[in-house]
């Protein structure tokens, strides 16, 4: 294990938080998942992206996403949209529903989002990006953060410029996924390029992309000199990873792998929380991907996934989880 020169808590408005964050992931970082991540340590977690229009229209599914688990702190809501006034309106609704910190999405590469000039498309339109950030900052007294990529494509890597604009509008923190929109998730995240953005602003910057354990966290922090980092995909089926990385960075000691019995309990607790949050009908479908991720690296995982994908009740899913973990000892 290498070392990082400094690794301190980060201030966002009145909140002082761990420098290791859980990255927002649509369809994944709902309240049950965030609470399961929190079981292992106080990791700031960004909720699933909320579309400003759906939020204003009071779309029931969208409003359900604005539910937090009991004791969640800070509650971080990510907004996506392209009309400054509507983003401001959605910011107010989020504040009324208990958000502590707002995050503006300038990184989503999905076609259905960028076709509406939202998400990563905002990086191509500096003036609109500035208007949106100003509108969201002014809409409430909550601190506003922004998550972006390096730029639209290899020819338009303008994240430093957008970061500078964000700083001027009163944004409190910047998160950078070290890829362009054109890359989606291909190639490798460029942590050195995140360093250029860090050097262009006085704001705290989080480095994101391809951080999966303590070694990659150290490499990303050393390359970027960022103030903290965000972990996304490495936490799928392993919600203990962000806390393990935070702990290792703080103590300089490697983390021991989580014992199988604790992994089993984590999967079951996660399933229980999903059941409470969504109800039996929805949980059957929504829990499948999570439960399959929990089987990563286990013996007989392929057969387990088939069982999960055809399970007819949460009770059956729970039995399959108990069985596969118990079988590992044999
Ligand atoms: C399934 C999935 C959903 C995502 N949804 C969002 C999102 O809603 N908002 C966002 O800013 N980024 C989203 N991302 C991007 C992640 O936050 C993160 O930037 C990216 O996965 C790179 O980090 P990682 O290598 O640690 O996963 C998503 C990523 C994945 C894989």
């Amino acid at each position: 294990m290498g070392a990082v020169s400094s690794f301190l808590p980060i201030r966002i408005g009145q909140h002082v938080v761990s420098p290791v964050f859980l990255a927002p992931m649509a369809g994944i970082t709902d309240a049950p998942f965030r609470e399961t991540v929190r079981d292992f340590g106080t990791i700031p977690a960004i909720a699933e992206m909320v579309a400003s229009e759906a939020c204003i229209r009071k779309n029931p599914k969208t409003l359900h996403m604005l539910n937090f688990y009991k004791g969640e702190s800070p509650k971080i809501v990510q907004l996506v949209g392209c009309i400054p006034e509507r983003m401001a309106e959605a910011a107010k609704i989020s504040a009324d529903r208990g958000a502590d910190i707002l995050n503006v999405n300038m990184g989503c590469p999905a076609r259905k989002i960028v076709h509406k000039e939202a998400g990563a498309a905002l990086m191509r339109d500096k003036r609109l990006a500035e208007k949106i950030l100003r509108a969201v900052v002014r809409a409430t007294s909550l601190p506003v953060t922004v998550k972006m990529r390096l730029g639209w494509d290899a020819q338009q890597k303008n994240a430093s410029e957008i970061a500078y604009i964000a700083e001027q509008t009163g944004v409190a923190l910047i998160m950078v996924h070290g890829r362009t929109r054109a890359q989606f998730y291909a190639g490798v995240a460029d942590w050195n390029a995140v360093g250029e953005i860090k050097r262009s602003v006085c704001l705290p910057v989080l480095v994101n992309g391809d951080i999966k354990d303590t070694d990659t966290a150290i490499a990303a922090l050393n390359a970027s000199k960022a103030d903290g980092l965000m972990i996304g995909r490495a936490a799928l089926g392993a919600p203990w990873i962000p806390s393990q990385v935070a702990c290792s960075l703080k103590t300089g000691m490697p983390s021991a792998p989580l014992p199988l019995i604790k992994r089993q309990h984590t999967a079951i607790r996660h399933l229980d929380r999903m059941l409470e949050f969504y109800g039996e009908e929805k949980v059957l479908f929504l829990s499948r991907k999570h439960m399959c991720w929990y089987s990563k690296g286990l013996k007989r995982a392929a057969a387990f996934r088939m069982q999960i994908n055809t399970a007819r009740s949460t009770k059956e899913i729970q039995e399959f989880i108990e069985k596969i973990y118990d079988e590992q000892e044999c």
Side-chain angles (χ1 to χ4, degrees), residues 14-15 19 30 36 42-43 57 70 124 127 129 146 156 162-163 174 180 185 195 210 225 240 244 248 264 279 294 314:
Q14 65 185 51
H15 305 275
D30 54 10
T36 306
T42 48
I43 294 293
R57 278 201 317 271
K70 196 161 175 268
R124 284 189 306 191
R127 293 179 76 180
V146 55
Q156 303 172 76
I162 304 277
I174 293 170
T180 62
Y185 294 90
D210 300 347
K225 301 283 177 280
W240 49 86
Q244 284 191 339
S248 296
Q264 181 187 41
Y294 280 110
T314 319

Side-chain angles (χ1 to χ4, degrees), residues 66-329:
L66 289 172
N67 286 326
F68 308 97
Y69 65 83
K70 196 161 175 268
E72 182 162 4
S73 178
K75 305 178 192 82
I76 313 179
V77 170
Q78 184 183 68
L79 298 172
V80 65
C82 61
I83 304 172
E85 300 74 29
R86 308 290 275 177
M87 287 289 275
E89 185 60 30
K92 286 183 192 149
I93 295 170
S94 306
D96 290 344
R97 294 182 73 94
D100 297 313
I101 295 173
L102 300 171
N103 180 261
V104 175
N105 182 320
M106 290 200 187
C108 182
R111 279 184 189 87
K112 66 175 185 190
I113 300 287
V114 298
H115 278 168
K116 292 183 188 154
E117 300 306 319
L122 289 175
M123 297 197 75
R124 284 189 306 191
D125 190 342
K126 286 182 289 188
R127 293 179 76 180
L128 182 57
E130 179 176 356
K131 280 186 188 163
I132 287 180
L133 292 176
R134 263 190 214 293
V136 175
V137 168
R138 281 187 190 150
T140 76
S141 59
L142 300 180
V144 176
T145 60
V146 55
K147 182 161 178 285
M148 60 176 78
R149 288 185 171 234
L150 297 179
W152 181 257
D153 59 20
Q155 286 70 46
Q156 303 172 76
K157 286 190 185 169
N158 62 346
S160 294
E161 214 180 330
I162 304 277
Y164 179 76
I165 291 171
E167 185 167 44
Q168 300 306 305
T169 63
V171 161
L173 175 139
I174 293 170
M175 303 147 180
V176 190
H177 176 188
R179 287 184 173 85
T180 62
R181 185 273 170 179
Q183 284 179 288
F184 282 81
Y185 294 90
V188 288
D190 185 348
W191 302 322
N192 288 311
V194 178
E196 281 171 38
I197 298 144
K198 167 66 194 160
R199 287 191 294 279
S200 65
V201 287
C202 299
L203 295 176
V205 170
L206 304 183
V207 57
N208 169 238
D210 300 347
I211 300 172
K212 57 180 196 304
D213 52 22
T214 308
D215 287 343
T216 44
I218 292 172
L221 288 170
N222 284 338
S224 64
K225 301 283 177 280
D227 305 272
L229 59 98
M230 292 184 96
I231 296 177
R233 289 166 294 175
L236 304 179
W240 49 86
I241 291 286
S243 282
Q244 284 191 339
V245 169
C247 183
S248 296
L249 291 174
K250 203 169 156 193
T251 61
M253 304 286 287
S255 304
L258 199 72
L260 277 178
I261 184 81
K262 289 204 173 160
R263 287 174 60 174
Q264 181 187 41
H265 289 168
T266 302
I268 291 173
R269 200 177 315 127
H270 187 179
L271 182 66
D272 284 346
R273 285 177 176 145
M274 292 190 84
L275 182 61
E276 200 177 312
F277 194 69
Y278 294 110
E280 174 77 31
E281 202 182 318
K282 285 193 181 142
V283 84
L284 252 190
F285 174 70
L286 292 174
S287 68
R288 278 181 192 157
K289 58 184 181 236
H290 287 285
M291 297 307 129
C292 290
W293 288 325
Y294 280 110
S295 72
K296 251 184 309 192
L298 297 182
K299 286 185 264 175
R300 291 186 279 280
F304 169 78
R305 285 184 210 125
M306 289 239 309
Q307 289 172 324
I308 292 292
N309 286 325
T310 50
R312 283 157 305 173
S313 68
T314 319
K315 195 166 169 290
E316 228 176 65
I317 293 181
Q318 179 166 340
E319 283 164 8
F320 291 140
I321 297 166
E322 279 164 4
K323 188 160 163 275
I324 189 175
Y325 278 98
D326 292 347
E327 279 174 4
Q328 301 302 303
E329 314 297 346

Side-chain angles (χ1 to χ4, degrees), residues 2-15:
V4 280
S5 50
S6 77
F7 194 62
L8 301 169
I10 293 180
R11 177 175 284 280
I12 310 176
Q14 65 185 51
H15 305 275

